[in-house]
């Protein structure tokens, strides 16, 4: 069995958290705050993409085919993750909201979009930390010692 390495996901989380803290410390309507806001949005996108890649790898360990997973919509990947206890149903619902918000980044980088995204970040950081922990516990290097 190939083990999942969640180090990159944890790095994305740390970067996103640090960007949020720096954003909050910057003066309102300053260039610095805008730079950190942009970093948050890009970090949010990168963390999601990294999480979805890891979920696909995890689902392969549960017998799902790689080619089929690549053609599977993200929301269906999230549903499959719940079937295999990688996410809870409330987490899946929140991930749907994160994904819907993420899809809007391709169309709207305006102030309202940024505000909506910023309100999601604290819960997103909690959910992505939980996901990393679950993936590491079930499919990480020490998983065979945890009954996985």
């Amino acid at each position: 069995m190939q083990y999942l390495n969640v180090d990159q996901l944890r790095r994305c989380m740390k970067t996103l958290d640090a960007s949020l803290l720096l954003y909050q410390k910057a003066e309102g309507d300053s260039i610095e705050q805008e730079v950190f806001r942009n970093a948050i949005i890009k970090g949010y996108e990168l963390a999601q993409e990294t999480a979805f890649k890891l979920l696909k790898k995890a689902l392969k360990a549960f017998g799902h085919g790689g080619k089929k997973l690549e053609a599977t919509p993200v929301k269906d990947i999230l549903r499959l993750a719940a079937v295999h206890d990688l996410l809870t149903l409330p987490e899946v619902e929140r991930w749907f909201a994160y994904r819907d918000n993420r899809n809007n980044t391709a169309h709207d980088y305006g102030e309202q979009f940024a505000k909506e995204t910023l309100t999601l970040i604290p819960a997103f950081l909690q959910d992505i930390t939980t996901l990393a922990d679950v993936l590491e516990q079930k499919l990480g290097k020490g998983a065979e010692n945890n009954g996985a």
Side-chain angles (χ1 to χ4, degrees):
M1 175 172 144
Q2 182 180 355
Y3 300 111
L4 287 184
N5 182 336
V6 298
D7 292 347
Q8 180 60 33
L9 184 59
R10 292 196 189 278
R11 179 121 178 119
C12 289
M13 293 163 24
K14 287 179 184 177
T15 302
L16 184 55
D17 189 45
S19 297
L20 182 61
L21 289 172
L22 291 168
Y23 171 84
Q24 292 167 340
K25 289 180 181 179
E27 287 188 35
D29 291 334
S30 67
I31 292 295
E32 289 82 12
Q33 193 176 58
E34 192 171 334
V35 167
F36 296 130
R37 183 185 72 198
N38 291 347
I40 290 167
I41 291 169
K42 283 301 178 188
Y44 176 66
E45 293 172 353
L46 180 60
Q48 279 196 42
E49 294 309 313
T50 303
F52 295 133
K53 285 179 184 178
L54 284 171
L55 281 172
K56 287 177 186 178
K57 286 182 181 181
L59 290 170
K60 287 178 189 176
F62 288 101
H64 296 278
K67 285 185 180 183
K68 186 172 182 182
L69 285 172
E70 288 306 316
T72 302
V74 168
K75 288 186 177 181
D76 289 341
I77 296 290
L78 293 168
R79 287 182 186 100
L80 282 172
V83 167
H84 295 290
D85 294 323
L86 300 174
L87 293 170
T88 65
L89 291 178
E91 288 170 337
V92 168
E93 291 297 322
R94 288 193 301 272
W95 277 92
F96 282 0
Y98 303 145
R99 186 61 181 186
D100 289 343
N101 176 270
R102 160 57 182 103
N103 285 342
N104 291 335
T105 64
H107 308 291
D108 183 6
Y109 275 100
E111 193 69 30
Q112 185 58 36
F113 164 76
K115 286 179 182 177
E116 288 173 19
T117 301
L118 288 170
T119 63
L120 293 174
I121 298 299
F124 177 72
L125 284 167
Q126 288 179 336
D127 283 335
I128 207 161
T129 298
T130 300
L131 177 61
D133 292 345
V134 167
L135 290 174
E136 195 166 62
Q137 177 190 14
K138 292 189 179 229
L139 300 161
K141 290 181 183 175
E144 74 277 359
N145 298 327
N146 296 328

